């Protein structure tokens, strides 16, 4: 039998360090002590490990690449349109700029996932990396990525401080405010809100904006009851019955994304409720499914493709200028798409 070639994981085990540390040593990276460097080099020599020079050449400049880092959850289905739209927007600009797009989807809750992302960037020697929620809000991860020397852009960062990596998104707090004001203008005064995952800070701001709209309309915060979802169709199905049975008896439900709103719409139909006669529904993102269900959903159009396209433009500009770009958050415009799922309060 042919003897198996040693891998970088074998080197990590023998030297007793993390895979990312081995990668830094092999690539001549910073932030590695001399003692660790010697241990890794001794393990490499002992195993006879050889770096794939062809892959290193391609990643090191022969084929400039932009890494798009997406998140997944083993407990739920992915938001496939959101991810596909990010890929499409990034691909279009990559093609124009002579860059290659490489997509990686990682489980956001897995131990060591942040180290794995840094490792992917270091191994690829890419031109830049785009991180999406919730990775875009992990500031320690973003700092580690910036220390590798590549251009880093965050999609929909929930918080931006001076010195952070640049970000691109929409103003989610303003979008939540505008959508809730739209429902208040229709006559609604009692609301339910299906939130997303807590670590997605931009989605949390949608709820914060809704509360601000209540306050400005003179409505108490108790006029809205909120429950925690996970952005999936199933969350909308499961959570809508609890919301409509709550003591405030909401006449309008806002969902943090379209997938949950479609699930809520299904649950309303199953319960014999008329939408929008008995209950109005509104959401965010304006994914294709929002226009295909009946009634079609009133939703906030989030410019997803434009967000990733702009992220690649920032990386391409940094590549040309030899700098990482300014630490600013760019807000792209959103619009409310008014459809048949919202009407004045009914019965």
């Amino acid at each position: 039998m042919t003897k198996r070639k040693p891998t970088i994981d074998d080197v990590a085990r023998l030297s007793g360090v993390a895979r990312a540390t081995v990668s830094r040593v092999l690539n001549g990276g910073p932030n590695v002590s001399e003692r660790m460097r010697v241990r890794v080099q001794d393990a490499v020599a002992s195993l006879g490990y050889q770096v794939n020079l062809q892959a290193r050449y391609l990643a090191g400049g022969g084929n400039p690449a932009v890494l798009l880092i997406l998140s997944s959850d083993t407990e739920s289905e992915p938001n496939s349109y959101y991810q596909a739209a990010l890929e499409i927007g990034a691909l279009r600009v990559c093609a124009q700029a002579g860059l290659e797009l490489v997509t990686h989807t990682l489980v956001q809750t897995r131990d060591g996932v942040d180290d794995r992302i840094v490792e992917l960037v270091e191994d690829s020697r890419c031109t830049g990396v785009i991180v999406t929620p919730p990775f875009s809000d992990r500031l320690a991860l973003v700092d580690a990525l910036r220390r590798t020397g590549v251009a880093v852009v965050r999609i929909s960062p929930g918080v931006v401080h001076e010195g952070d990596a640049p970000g691109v998104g929409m103003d989610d707090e303003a979008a939540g405010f505008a959508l809730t004001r739209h429902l208040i203008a229709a006559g609604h005064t009692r609301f339910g809100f299906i939130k997303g995952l807590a670590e997605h800070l931009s989605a949390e701001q949608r709820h914060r904006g809704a509360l601000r709209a209540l306050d400005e309309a003179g409505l108490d915060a108790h006029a809205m009851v909120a429950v925690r979802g996970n952005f999936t169709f199933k969350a909308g199905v499961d959570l809508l019955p609890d919301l409509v049975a709550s003591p405030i008896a909401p006449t309008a439900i806002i969902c943090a994304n379209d997938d949950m709103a479609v699930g809520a719409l299904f649950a309303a139909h199953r319960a014999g409720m008329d939408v929008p006669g008995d209950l109005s529904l509104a959401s965010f993102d304006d994914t294709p499914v929002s226009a295909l269900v009946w009634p079609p959903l009133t939703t906030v159009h989030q410019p997803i493709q434009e967000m990733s396209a702009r992220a690649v433009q920032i990386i391409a500009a940094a590549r040309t200028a030899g700098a990482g770009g300014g630490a600013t958050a760019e807000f792209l415009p959103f619009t409310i798409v008014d459809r048949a799922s919202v009407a004045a309060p009914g019965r």
Side-chain angles (χ1 to χ4, degrees):
M1 295 180 62
T2 303
K3 184 178 179 181
R4 181 178 70 86
K5 291 183 179 181
T7 67
I8 191 172
D9 293 309
D10 296 326
V11 176
R13 279 191 291 270
L14 182 60
S15 57
V17 300
R19 193 176 191 272
T21 302
V22 176
S23 177
R24 290 191 185 98
V25 172
L26 296 177
N27 291 319
N31 304 319
V32 180
S33 68
E34 185 60 27
R35 182 172 62 88
M36 289 294 185
R37 195 178 301 278
V38 169
R39 283 170 58 179
V40 171
Q41 291 170 342
D42 288 346
V44 167
S46 176
L47 293 168
Y49 174 75
Q50 292 183 332
V51 178
N52 186 331
L53 295 178
Q54 181 182 22
R56 170 172 283 190
Y57 167 75
L58 290 173
N63 187 16
V66 172
L67 269 57
L68 174 62
I69 307 298
L70 303 172
S71 67
S72 68
D73 187 339
T74 55
E75 301 301 320
S76 61
E77 71 270 18
N79 186 333
S80 58
Y81 176 77
Y82 177 81
Q83 295 185 355
L86 287 174
E87 287 184 319
I88 291 169
L91 275 170
R92 288 174 177 165
V93 180
C94 279
Q96 297 168 0
L99 296 167
E100 176 188 10
L101 183 69
V102 180
T103 301
H104 293 281
T105 303
L106 298 101
V107 178
Q108 59 209 33
T109 55
R110 182 164 293 169
D111 291 342
V113 65
D114 289 5
D115 288 339
R116 176 58 179 154
I117 293 172
V118 175
E119 181 182 292
L120 287 169
V121 170
E122 291 180 331
D123 286 350
S124 69
R125 294 189 174 183
C126 59
T127 296
V129 57
I130 302 170
V131 284
T132 63
F135 300 126
S136 55
D137 289 314
R138 297 181 181 179
L139 298 185
L141 167 62
V142 174
D143 287 342
L145 290 172
R146 296 178 72 188
R147 286 196 297 270
T148 67
V150 306
V152 181
V153 181
R154 301 189 291 161
I155 295 292
S156 300
V159 179
V160 177
H161 300 294
E162 186 68 29
D164 290 345
V168 182
M170 74 174 184
D171 189 335
D172 288 277
E173 198 273 347
F177 175 83
L179 184 60
T180 307
R181 283 289 301 269
H182 180 75
L183 292 166
I184 292 172
H188 294 279
T189 58
R190 303 191 309 275
F191 301 88
F193 199 109
I194 302 181
K195 302 167 72 174
L197 294 167
E199 60 266 31
H200 287 244
L201 301 186
S202 57
E204 290 293 281
Q205 290 187 352
R206 297 174 180 182
H207 178 246
R208 191 173 302 121
L211 293 177
R212 180 165 69 89
L214 296 185
D215 181 64
E216 291 201 6
L219 297 172
D220 189 274
H222 295 296
M224 176 175 286
V225 57
V227 292
R228 177 71 66 190
N230 62 359
F231 299 118
T232 65
F233 174 88
K234 185 176 185 299
V237 174
D238 293 343
L239 294 171
L240 180 93
D242 293 336
L243 279 177
V244 297
S246 65
I248 71 167
T251 61
I253 304 293
I254 303 172
C255 299
N257 75 336
D258 288 337
D259 285 0
M260 292 194 296
V262 173
L265 180 62
F266 173 84
H269 287 327
R270 187 170 62 180
M273 301 181 69
D274 177 69
V275 176
D278 298 319
L279 182 71
S280 287
L281 284 173
S283 57
F284 296 83
D285 291 346
D286 191 26
T287 57
V289 69
S290 66
L292 299 176
V293 294
W294 185 259
L297 292 171
T298 291
T299 184
V300 173
H301 174 75
Q302 178 175 212
I304 303 171
Q305 293 186 30
E306 292 85 348
M307 284 155 46
S308 58
R310 178 60 186 142
V312 176
Q313 289 174 348
I314 294 172
I315 290 171
R319 179 187 180 211
T320 302
T328 59
E330 296 187 19
F331 288 143
L332 302 185
F334 64 85
T335 55
I336 295 178
V337 183
D338 189 15
R339 299 195 181 107
S341 66
V342 169
R347 292 184 291 275

